[in-house]
Amino acid sequence: MPKEKKKKKKPKKPKIQWKTALQVLEERKNLERLKTGTALDELIGGGIQQTEVVEFYGPYGSGKSQLCMTMTVIVAGQGGEVVYIDTEDTFNPERVKEIAEKRGYDPNEIFKHIHLAEPLTTDELAESIDQIPKNLNPTLIIVDSITSLYREEFIGRNVLSERQGLLRQFIVKLKKYVREKKCYGIVTNQVYDVPDATPFTPLYIRQQAVGGHSLYHLIDNRIFLRKAVHGTRIGRLVDSSRYPEAERPFKITDRGIEPIEEDSEE
Ligand code: ATP
Ligand code: MG
């Protein structure tokens, strides 16, 4: 019998870039930081570093979406493009308009720089990264939130590992994009109550980020947000590989997220 001539196509191997630690250090020195303008910046070395994804997680009303919309205005106000992936239908143009106006920007100019996707399924969510227009060079990419669609689609223990696997894949895809585009990444996440907590267990231990420990290794800086007295909020950096665990306050006003003045009566 004549031998089959069909050549099997070899799968394309990923190219690995080797660097010395010194090169990595030098590269990092040149990276810029995006400031929230609040004390949260102090938790992560002065702001979100280019090429980095920071996670803000916490219970409802803790300020995650307010932070996302404020950072959108800050970046768009400086002329940067913002990719905003809204999985919860909570991007609020009226609120963005208010934050923009209070900060002295023309909202119509700001809106031109905001590129919104509203995926309804986890497939659409993954595609929304792949389908960011090639000619768009975003300064900031936001996903509010990374876990809600996975939680909705994969219910029950028997699909937990599949859910975790897909969530990990999505985060890796996002990290790769943020690194390649040298932009800033912000994701939000919800919390669940750990079952064996007591009333004395601190809130940041009682309420864990959805996605569990498998995500701890993927996202370097995770900040737990919670409500505090007189409408203020507290951010706590949890388990960072670079910075010490610490807490800083901020508040939410008509200008979005804001610092708490030292001499404030709050
Ligand atoms: P969820 O998990 O439900 O998405 P979240 O953490 O995203 O919650 P946000 O929507 O960011 O919560 O925060 C909502 C809170 O922001 C409200 O409870 C309200 O206290 C505060 N807030 C919204 N608009 C204003 C405003 N104009 N001035 C002051 N506070 C505001
Ligand atoms: Mg929200």
Side-chain angles (χ1 to χ4, degrees):
M1 245 175 94
K3 260 190 185 174
E4 246 185 54
K5 268 191 180 166
K6 237 185 191 176
K7 256 193 185 170
K8 255 194 186 167
K9 227 183 176 184
K10 273 190 187 168
K12 217 175 153 195
K13 287 185 182 167
K15 181 124 182 62
I16 304 299
Q17 297 263 330
W18 290 92
K19 296 172 187 172
T20 64
L22 195 64
Q23 276 173 306
V24 175
L25 194 69
E26 283 304 313
E27 276 173 21
R28 286 199 190 201
K29 267 189 204 157
N30 299 327
L31 296 176
E32 290 173 18
R33 286 186 185 265
L34 172 62
K35 291 186 184 304
T36 66
T38 72
L40 291 177
D41 296 333
E42 294 165 19
L43 296 174
I44 47 174
I48 301 168
Q49 189 177 265
Q50 260 175 339
T51 73
E52 174 182 65
V53 177
V54 176
E55 174 183 337
F56 294 91
Y57 70 99
Y60 70 90
S62 54
K64 304 180 294 291
S65 299
Q66 296 299 319
L67 182 141
C68 292
M69 289 185 276
T70 308
M71 297 318 294
T72 297
V73 171
I74 290 174
V75 169
Q78 293 165 4
E81 305 299 326
V82 181
V83 167
Y84 202 116
I85 301 176
D86 177 20
T87 67
E88 296 181 344
D89 204 13
T90 50
F91 175 84
N92 186 326
E94 289 81 14
R95 178 66 172 133
V96 173
K97 181 170 183 273
E98 177 184 46
I99 297 171
E101 280 172 349
K102 296 286 176 188
R103 288 175 181 249
Y105 298 116
D106 172 359
N108 291 327
E109 278 308 310
I110 296 284
F111 285 150
K112 284 183 201 162
H113 293 282
I114 305 173
H115 309 272
L116 199 65
E118 296 170 313
L120 295 173
T121 63
T122 55
D123 275 347
E124 285 184 14
L125 176 60
E127 276 302 313
S128 56
I129 303 286
D130 291 338
Q131 293 185 28
I132 295 172
K134 294 281 176 275
N135 58 354
L136 186 71
N137 278 315
T139 301
L140 170 65
I141 174 161
I142 290 174
V143 184
D144 185 17
S145 78
I146 36 166
T147 45
S148 57
L149 292 175
Y150 294 93
R151 270 182 126 180
E152 277 166 30
E153 257 172 60
F154 298 90
I155 300 164
R157 291 227 141 251
N158 55 334
V159 286
L160 194 62
S161 67
E162 190 185 353
R163 178 182 103 173
Q164 292 299 91
L166 288 170
L167 181 56
R168 285 179 68 91
Q169 269 177 29
F170 173 71
I171 295 169
V172 169
K173 189 192 283 261
L174 175 68
K175 278 182 66 164
K176 197 163 173 257
Y177 183 87
V178 166
R179 204 178 292 172
E180 277 171 11
K181 289 284 184 178
K182 237 182 173 184
C183 60
Y184 306 101
I186 293 178
V187 298
T188 70
N189 196 355
Q190 296 145 332
V191 288
Y192 68 96
D193 287 314
V194 294
D196 49 358
T198 72
F200 303 107
T201 312
L203 196 64
Y204 73 93
I205 295 176
R206 215 184 314 156
Q207 297 193 321
Q208 294 288 323
V210 175
H213 286 273
S214 62
L215 299 194
Y216 286 11
H217 310 292
L218 283 178
I219 297 180
D220 208 26
N221 289 319
R222 317 183 87 193
I223 296 178
F224 175 62
L225 302 183
R226 69 174 198 268
K227 286 184 181 175
V229 288
H230 305 307
T232 57
R233 303 290 192 280
I234 305 230
R236 181 186 184 92
L237 183 69
V238 180
D239 270 344
S240 167
S241 65
R242 280 174 77 187
Y243 306 112
E245 205 151 314
E247 290 192 343
R248 291 291 184 278
F250 66 99
K251 63 182 177 184
I252 303 172
T253 72
D254 48 9
R255 288 167 50 91
I257 62 159
E258 283 221 282
I260 291 178
E261 303 84 24
E262 299 254 300
D263 55 355
S264 157
E265 283 178 17
E266 282 172 316

